[in-house]
Amino acid sequence: PQNLTVTSSVSCQCPDSTSVACGGSCTGGATETYATVVVQEPFTTLLPYPASLAPLTLQGSATLRIH
């Protein structure tokens, strides 16, 4: 893939789902840390297709809690 874009980020939240700065503290338990990766790739059909909205951007993301 020539134009593949990958970005990543880290975020933190408390067990009650409120955002908190990473390294901060929570009153209801330990801070939860999450890593998110987003992948994007421009896509164009090989043959013209009348209903297509070319060019399209295909995108996927995954978020994982880090223990």
Side-chain angles (χ1 to χ4, degrees):
Q2 294 179 339
N3 297 315
L4 183 69
T5 303
V6 180
T7 56
S8 62
S9 62
V10 175
S11 61
C12 297
Q13 67 181 36
C14 295
D16 63 359
S17 298
T18 57
S19 294
V20 65
C22 293
S25 61
C26 298
T27 57
T31 303
E32 299 170 350
T33 305
Y34 293 86
T36 301
V37 177
V38 179
V39 180
Q40 295 180 326
E41 173 76 27
F43 174 77
T44 305
T45 58
L46 293 175
L47 300 173
Y49 187 73
S52 74
L53 302 173
L56 301 172
T57 299
L58 303 177
Q59 177 177 314
S61 65
T63 300
L64 177 69
R65 181 175 173 195
I66 302 170
H67 292 279

